[in-house]
Amino acid sequence: MNYSDTYYTARWWSVLPDSQEKIQCLLCPHKCLMKPGQSGICNVRKNIGGVLYSISYGHPVAMQIDPIEKKPLYHFYPGESIFSIGTFGCNLSCDFCQNWNMSQTGYDNNKLPVYYSPQDIIMSCKQSDLHLIAFTYNEPVVFSEYMTDIAEQACLEGIKTVAVTNGYICPEVLPEVFSRIDAFNIDLKGFSDSFYRKYTGSSFDPVQKTMITLRNMGKHIELTTLLIPGLNDSEEELKKEFEWICTMLGNHTPLHLSAFYPGYKRLHHPSTKRESLFRAKELAMESGLYYVYIGNIHDVDNSTYCPDCHALLVNRQHYQGRLEKEGFCRCGRLIDIINDKL
Ligand code: SF4
Ligand SMILES: [Zn+2]
């Protein structure tokens, strides 16, 4: 079998000297070492005969049209639909994963799903009359080659792209991987290295670096924190997180505080109480954040208001946003929403 006909050769790896085909993936901070036949932690990058292949390239396992508010992105083309794709695999192993059936699964190498080239994805997006594509559902860093190839084509066609990511990527490759992506929702899972190490199988420092780098690259960033009772929701930890966001990324960074529901390896863990979400939102706003939203529960006011005069800017109901104002607010403040139509 000629593997180069079946799988896409990965980028961002090297052969270790004197190692008999042992290779190292350089994409995320795990920097997995793989002997021939072995896969990395993400389950979708594999050493076959001394070459690293990206198994998921061209093989999305989820492809659908969602409201952009479901990513969630509230300040980037509110009210629009976005063509969304995801594959199998993730470089983290969170025991509380809310999408584990995609993230913690690998491909059956004897039966790969239908192949969609980057051009096929662009065509499907255009046929649906959309101008937005999201890399979402699982961690897009693990299919970076596919994501960057689609994003490059998208750029040429005037299509904007979004990555919903955990931000766990090597700083050396980040600019190349993310340069063509327009907007990000970064899953900020907690605010301590001990949390990241104990519950996600990763470390905190690279995620912080990612957020700062993307901000410095001028990208649109929104953050999501899933509040897991007793694990990452102490007032002390939350305040640290909110203050850090204000200082390092700016008060205008939208933050989504999301409710946890039991699942995967935490089937018996209690779900997040409504009052904890509201208390966390209060703390975030006291810390100085302008736009804080509550996700995964019903009957919440998630509209966007002007931080200065409290005018309604985006009326948002059930993950569907409607812009009430564009450009400048009635008080003269520039509205923190990207909505330049093509
Ligand atoms: S992307 Fe996958 S194979 Fe590469 S270092 Fe990260 S977990 Fe390992
Ligand atoms: Zn105003």
Side-chain angles (χ1 to χ4, degrees):
M1 180 181 183
N2 187 353
Y3 290 107
S4 59
D5 290 344
T6 309
Y7 302 125
Y8 185 91
T9 308
R11 294 170 219 152
W12 308 296
W13 57 281
S14 64
V15 178
L16 295 188
D18 311 321
S19 68
Q20 295 188 335
E21 300 182 326
K22 201 173 187 183
I23 59 183
Q24 183 167 40
C25 177
L26 303 172
L27 185 51
C28 92
H30 288 308
K31 294 201 170 167
C32 297
L33 294 170
M34 290 165 258
K35 290 182 194 156
Q38 286 183 333
S39 299
I41 288 172
C42 60
N43 232 348
V44 290
R45 303 173 73 77
K46 189 172 183 179
N47 177 350
I48 303 173
V51 175
L52 187 67
Y53 289 94
S54 167
I55 307 297
S56 50
Y57 190 106
H59 298 295
V61 294
M63 202 164 21
Q64 62 188 51
I65 296 169
D66 293 327
I68 196 162
E69 283 78 9
K70 277 217 163 171
K71 299 302 104 190
L73 281 182
Y74 280 11
H75 288 239
F76 192 75
Y77 296 95
E80 303 231 1
S81 296
I82 185 161
F83 191 84
S84 304
I85 64 165
T87 70
F88 285 141
C90 185
N91 50 355
L92 268 57
S93 49
C94 310
D95 66 4
F96 50 84
C97 184
Q98 307 274 288
N99 207 14
W100 62 273
N101 48 2
M102 280 180 68
S103 70
Q104 303 302 316
T105 313
Y107 289 86
D108 173 352
N109 291 342
N110 299 315
K111 208 174 142 203
L112 285 170
V114 179
Y115 178 79
Y116 290 89
S117 69
Q119 292 81 354
D120 293 335
I121 299 295
I122 300 292
M123 198 61 77
S124 306
C125 175
K126 285 172 75 175
Q127 279 166 355
S128 309
D129 209 16
L130 299 176
H131 70 103
L132 298 165
I133 295 178
F135 306 103
T136 178
Y137 307 129
N138 74 316
E139 175 50 51
V141 164
V142 304
F143 62 89
S144 286
E145 293 84 357
Y146 192 39
M147 172 169 65
T148 51
D149 287 356
I150 296 170
E152 202 168 308
Q153 293 279 323
C155 232
L156 298 173
E157 298 281 347
I159 293 170
K160 306 275 186 200
T161 50
V162 165
V164 181
T165 175
N166 58 37
Y168 200 60
I169 182 169
C170 286
E172 300 79 18
V173 305
L174 185 155
E176 194 183 344
V177 170
F178 285 148
S179 64
R180 299 231 185 256
I181 310 288
D182 298 288
F184 295 81
N185 187 298
I186 301 163
D187 202 1
L188 179 53
K189 291 173 186 288
F191 206 72
S192 67
D193 193 54
S194 57
F195 178 86
Y196 266 82
R197 287 184 188 277
K198 191 164 176 192
Y199 300 108
T200 76
S202 65
S203 56
F204 186 33
D205 186 54
V207 180
Q208 280 186 300
K209 285 200 175 107
T210 294
M211 291 185 280
I212 293 168
T213 308
L214 291 175
R215 174 58 83 220
N216 291 338
M217 286 166 78
K219 301 293 182 183
H220 177 79
I221 308 172
E222 304 195 19
L223 306 178
T224 297
T225 297
L226 183 76
L227 291 190
I228 310 163
L231 298 193
N232 65 354
D233 64 343
S234 75
E235 292 209 357
E236 192 192 350
E237 190 168 328
L238 289 175
K239 273 188 195 163
K240 267 194 218 158
E241 172 179 332
F242 303 150
E243 282 161 16
W244 184 88
I245 298 169
C246 287
T247 312
M248 303 304 292
L249 307 177
N251 312 47
H252 62 296
T253 310
L255 172 67
H256 303 261
L257 298 166
S258 193
F260 161 85
Y261 291 99
Y264 193 39
K265 293 183 181 169
R266 289 205 168 259
L267 278 174
H268 303 293
H269 202 96
S271 5
T272 317
K273 292 196 175 106
R274 276 180 87 82
E275 51 269 34
S276 312
L277 291 157
F278 285 105
R279 174 67 186 138
K281 176 172 176 175
E282 199 174 73
L283 286 174
M285 305 227 28
E286 278 169 16
S287 301
L289 284 170
Y290 296 148
Y291 311 109
V292 185
Y293 305 102
I294 290 180
N296 263 359
I297 59 167
H298 294 295
D299 303 322
V300 189
D301 180 5
N302 267 335
S303 291
T304 302
Y305 298 93
C306 172
D308 287 344
C309 74
H310 309 293
L312 179 64
L313 303 177
V314 183
N315 190 340
R316 204 173 281 108
Q317 315 265 351
H318 309 297
Y319 293 107
Q320 199 67 54
R322 195 181 72 229
L323 261 177
E324 298 290 331
K325 290 202 166 38
E326 287 186 61
F328 290 88
C329 179
R330 67 182 181 200
C331 67
R333 184 192 171 96
L334 183 65
I335 293 175
D336 292 316
I337 286 177
I338 294 176
N339 192 46
D340 51 310
K341 292 280 188 309
L342 297 168

